[in-house]
Amino acid sequence: MTIVNGSIPPNKNDLTKFYEASEQVTGGDIFLYLGWERLVNIGNANLDFEINQVNQAAPSPGPGFTTSSVGPLTLQRTAGDLLINYDFSGSGTPTLGLNFWLTAANGNTAGQCYSANTLPCWGKHVTLGSTVAEGAVDPSTGLFGEASINLTDAGVFEPGVCEAFGSAFVKSRSSSSFTAELKDFIAPVPVNITNCGSITINKVTQNEPVPGTESFDYTTSSNLTGFSLKNAESKNFDKLGAGTYTVTESAQTAPWSFVSLTCDTTTGVTITGQEVSIALGNGQNVTCTYTNTFTKGQPSVATAQDLIPNDNLTLSGGLGTPTGTVTFNLYAPTDATCAGTPAYTQTVTLTNGAAATTNTTFHATTEGTWRWASSYSGDAYNNPASSACGVEQFTIDNSVP
């Protein structure tokens, strides 16, 4: 179409405002509410509300259709776009009608066009009866009109099929004829008319040594696609029609274990172990969170007496090859519980799961039983471990020649 500057011709509708709202009611039907205002009551009103999937006001992918647009303008129409006709003769109630935008890509033919002879075009006109739509014009001033349309009953939203509309605008025609000349318009505004739902899966890990390292796999029902997630990542499936969808987390092996699966709603949601089944309703959005925890390995300690006063420690078990340090503490005979300050201490780096003292300066001379108590520091994958007091010990008896 071509937009020009200038005033509205005499006795033609000079539009000042238009209104749009939508809602999903109990039971799932989606209703559209439209309204308009004009400057002067000229009696009849012949309007078209065009509702597009593409946001026509945006420069991309729309044409950037705004109130300041002048000159030729090519609207970015998509198969399934809506044209709602609002024809008021000046008395009584308005007649409401609906046309869908048709394209060859959707298997349509020129014979299905309402007034044009070639595709793309507006399809056959459907008059909306009182069981589907209703409208009215303010009888006192004639300056305001409104309409309510059940888009579900009108066939706009089909069961299980996602449809979403992103902009709407209104234009006036010079007469009730479908092909009558355009006289005035109000530029498109963004709207959100949709029956599309979404499912979002969040991943949370606990105690992960290096957060975001481990990847978890998910299988899904055939109407979704499998995916993998790491800590703090999410997978979003949007533009989903009503239907049943399942997501299942693959079973974990040690050191990982499943903690919980929670969703932000119980409506239509069934959780069984690590599987969630979602009976998604029209326009429903569901977010679920999987939580898994990492359990560190628990190595065991074995010690062996070396040349007095030296000790050896070896770790077994745990995850991988433990790293870290071992602290060897030697307690004098006066400390039988290894609770005080050690007479000698040395910290040694663990190598291949083993460590040993290398004392060459300390000499145990006090008579009695000396006791070793050794402790492993632990690392990112393994918990600390220690030997009991006195597992390794030696006795000094000065009376022995």
Side-chain angles (χ1 to χ4, degrees):
M1 65 181 182
T2 300
I3 301 173
V4 298
N5 288 322
S7 60
I8 302 300
N11 298 322
K12 301 304 176 186
N13 282 297
D14 188 352
L15 299 173
T16 57
K17 295 179 181 178
F18 91 99
Y19 307 89
E20 177 278 335
S22 62
E23 69 170 340
Q24 179 177 317
V25 300
T26 302
D29 284 4
I30 296 175
F31 280 77
L32 173 66
Y33 306 103
L34 299 171
W36 55 268
E37 292 185 23
R38 59 185 174 182
L39 189 63
V40 178
N41 181 6
I42 63 168
N44 65 309
N46 306 113
L47 311 175
D48 291 327
F49 292 88
E50 184 164 337
I51 301 172
N52 305 107
Q53 294 162 66
V54 170
N55 182 359
Q56 303 289 3
S60 178
F65 182 6
T66 68
T67 53
S68 59
S69 298
V70 176
L73 185 70
T74 301
L75 296 175
Q76 297 299 312
R77 290 174 172 141
T78 306
D81 282 356
L82 311 178
L83 188 69
I84 297 172
N85 316 123
Y86 189 109
D87 291 305
F88 177 62
S89 64
S91 62
T93 58
T95 299
L96 300 174
L98 174 64
N99 302 75
F100 292 92
W101 187 251
L102 305 181
T103 67
N106 287 70
N108 297 297
T109 64
Q112 295 172 285
C113 294
Y114 181 48
S115 63
N117 295 318
T118 59
L119 294 167
C121 67
W122 290 111
K124 296 295 186 181
H125 182 78
V126 177
T127 300
L128 301 176
S130 59
T131 60
V132 176
E134 58 181 354
V137 176
D138 178 11
S140 61
T141 67
L143 300 179
F144 171 77
E146 61 185 348
S148 170
I149 304 170
N150 185 330
L151 295 179
T152 303
D153 286 352
V156 174
F157 294 114
E158 299 178 14
V161 179
C162 166
E163 295 281 356
F165 299 91
S167 71
F169 71 98
V170 63
K171 59 183 184 288
S172 65
R173 287 175 275 115
S174 59
S175 72
S176 60
S177 171
F178 184 79
T179 58
E181 185 180 10
L182 181 152
K183 291 300 180 183
D184 193 18
F185 71 89
I186 297 178
V189 295
V191 299
N192 183 29
I193 307 169
T194 182
N195 69 337
C196 301
S198 69
I199 295 173
T200 300
I201 304 297
N202 297 326
K203 181 74 238 171
V204 174
T205 62
Q206 300 173 339
N207 306 320
E208 187 172 8
V210 182
T213 301
E214 187 73 12
S215 182
F216 297 81
D217 296 328
Y218 298 84
T219 57
T220 66
S221 50
S222 59
N223 46 6
L224 300 175
T225 55
F227 59 97
S228 298
L229 291 176
K230 296 180 181 179
N231 180 54
E233 291 183 340
S234 298
K235 176 65 176 180
N236 177 253
F237 297 98
D238 60 2
K239 298 183 178 180
L240 298 178
T244 300
Y245 304 85
T246 61
V247 176
T248 305
E249 183 178 67
S250 298
Q252 284 79 54
T253 57
W256 286 100
S257 58
F258 171 69
V259 175
S260 65
L261 167 57
T262 60
C263 297
D264 62 354
T265 180
T266 58
T267 303
V269 173
T270 302
I271 296 175
T272 306
Q274 289 172 260
E275 179 182 276
V276 58
S277 177
I278 302 171
L280 197 69
N282 283 332
Q284 185 180 11
N285 301 302
V286 177
T287 298
C288 298
T289 300
Y290 283 88
T291 302
N292 301 78
T293 191
F294 179 91
T295 302
K296 287 186 175 184
Q298 185 57 65
S300 57
V301 171
T303 59
Q305 184 73 40
D306 202 345
L307 293 174
I308 297 173
N310 282 298
D311 198 15
N312 292 281
L313 180 144
T314 302
L315 294 179
S316 60
L319 293 178
T321 301
T323 60
T325 60
V326 175
T327 299
F328 295 90
N329 292 318
L330 180 61
Y331 293 88
T334 55
D335 190 353
T337 60
C338 305
T341 302
Y344 169 75
T345 185
Q346 184 179 6
T347 298
V348 180
T349 299
L350 195 68
T351 302
N352 295 325
T357 60
T358 55
N359 172 50
T360 59
T361 59
F362 177 78
H363 300 284
T365 58
T366 302
E367 190 172 46
T369 300
W370 291 73
R371 298 172 177 83
W372 286 102
S374 304
S375 60
Y376 164 57
S377 64
D379 61 16
Y381 299 89
N382 293 281
N383 286 316
S386 60
S387 64
C389 177
V391 171
E392 296 299 331
Q393 59 185 2
F394 59 91
T395 299
I396 296 178
D397 184 353
N398 291 332
S399 65
V400 177

